[in-house]
Amino acid sequence: MELNGKVAVVTGAGRGLGLAYAGELARAGAAVVVNDADAGAAEAAAARIAAAGGRAVAHPAAVGPAEAADALVARAVAEFGRLDVMVTNAGVLRDRVLWKMSDDDFDTVVQVHLKGTFTCARAAAVRFREQGEGGRLILVGSPAGQRGNFGQTNYSAAKAGIVGFVRTWAMELARANVTVNAVVPVAATAMTETIPALAPYVEAMREGREMPPFARRALAFGTPEDAAGLVAFLASDAASGITGQAIGIGGDRLSLWTHPTQAVAAYRDGGWTADDIAAAWPTVFAEHEQSVGENLPEEPR
């Protein structure tokens, strides 16, 4: 994959998936602005990329505020002369069940994930339009946003909203030749180790053991590096015709998510009363009700 001459910003790139994305973009030839709220992590990530022969600068900042987003784009332009790719990966978790979730738990996650994606994408879109040469918005979603996840009211809502951004911005930015897509990754990170079914595989990776075939296939669960190729592909000219999509990746699996669509519809002259709905539901709609959650399979013993 050839990205020479491209300039990318990756938020939340100090470790985990963000670091893998930034590293792969740099390996393919792009210059990268490495963002993270942790200044030490951002500096270390940029140094690691440079040591591997890539071009990178660190820009510590907590995403969310417009000022942080504008500064990231300005840094890319000041250091490398332009901006071609914005990868909105930064995120935090504050997991609680609904009745125990505080306003601060909710606001913190939405501020970073949802507002941070909005402000960074907006700043990038302004720059792309000024340059007049198109661009790439690569937004990071999650299976929790697609299917829901117990204890993640804030995170699931933010990630679902991000895929809503994709569908809207793909339409709004089409004339500017800017593609907008969501990556829906599953990988061994600090975020996924909080999921009991996945925690043993995260630990295995940290201990240097190979991820077993069951994890890589049945769970589509692998290393952060397994997900990085999709970001490089979407940043490339090879993906110039792909926009408005939510694309899953993890372990050995690459997948394309559907957008919400009507599962079944029925019509009644004069409309529907509550009694009419009660009568029709068991025979017309019940068998089409949708499941929630990931329902991960258990590894055979």
Side-chain angles (χ1 to χ4, degrees):
M1 197 56 61
E2 177 61 60
L3 297 177
N4 287 338
K6 305 286 188 184
V7 178
V9 170
V10 183
T11 69
R15 54 180 62 84
L17 282 163
L19 176 57
Y21 300 154
E24 182 65 13
L25 289 168
R27 189 199 65 76
V32 184
V33 175
V34 177
N35 161 259
D36 203 276
D38 182 334
E43 296 286 354
R48 176 174 168 177
I49 291 169
R55 291 188 299 157
V57 295
H59 187 94
V63 300
E67 295 79 8
D70 294 342
L72 277 170
V73 172
R75 183 69 185 279
V77 175
E79 292 284 344
F80 304 116
R82 59 183 295 109
L83 178 68
D84 301 282
V85 182
M86 172 65 75
V87 183
T88 59
N89 170 76
V92 296
L93 291 179
R94 297 290 188 274
D95 292 355
R96 301 283 190 279
V97 290
L98 172 60
W99 56 95
K100 293 183 178 180
M101 183 168 288
S102 69
D103 287 2
D104 184 64
D105 292 333
F106 184 86
D107 291 345
T108 297
V109 170
V110 170
Q111 170 78 359
V112 176
H113 286 279
L114 195 64
K115 189 173 181 183
T117 295
F118 162 67
T119 56
C120 288
R122 180 179 61 186
V126 169
R127 181 64 192 179
F128 293 156
R129 287 167 56 82
E130 289 174 351
Q131 290 175 173
E133 300 173 29
R136 301 284 189 271
L137 293 179
I138 302 172
L139 318 183
V140 179
S142 168
Q146 305 294 98
R147 300 283 301 166
N149 194 38
F150 190 94
Q152 292 193 316
T153 291
N154 43 13
Y155 181 73
S156 296
K159 290 301 190 182
I162 286 168
V163 177
F165 286 161
V166 165
R167 294 191 286 268
T168 296
W169 296 343
M171 293 186 285
E172 292 181 348
L173 291 168
R175 291 185 63 182
N177 198 30
V178 175
T179 66
V180 189
N181 293 287
V183 172
V184 183
V186 181
T189 67
M191 285 191 171
T192 52
E193 73 178 343
T194 63
I195 303 172
L198 300 179
Y201 304 114
V202 179
E203 185 64 25
M205 185 192 74
R206 286 179 174 166
E207 294 175 356
R209 291 182 279 134
E210 288 189 10
M211 202 76 70
F214 174 82
R216 296 188 60 85
R217 291 275 177 147
L219 302 180
F221 190 70
T223 67
E225 289 71 25
D226 288 322
L230 176 57
V231 171
F233 166 70
L234 290 173
S236 75
D237 292 342
S240 62
I242 302 171
T243 194
Q245 304 304 304
I247 306 169
I249 190 158
D252 295 333
R253 185 170 74 192
L254 178 68
S255 59
L256 182 63
W257 284 89
T258 63
H259 295 322
T261 186
Q262 293 182 15
V264 64
Y267 301 87
R268 181 180 176 84
D269 291 343
W272 293 84
T273 67
D275 287 338
D276 294 332
I277 296 170
W281 195 270
T283 57
V284 178
F285 295 95
E287 66 178 310
H288 299 284
E289 292 176 7
Q290 307 294 293
S291 63
V292 297
E294 277 291 275
N295 300 315
L296 297 174
E298 293 185 7
E299 185 171 7
R301 299 296 180 185

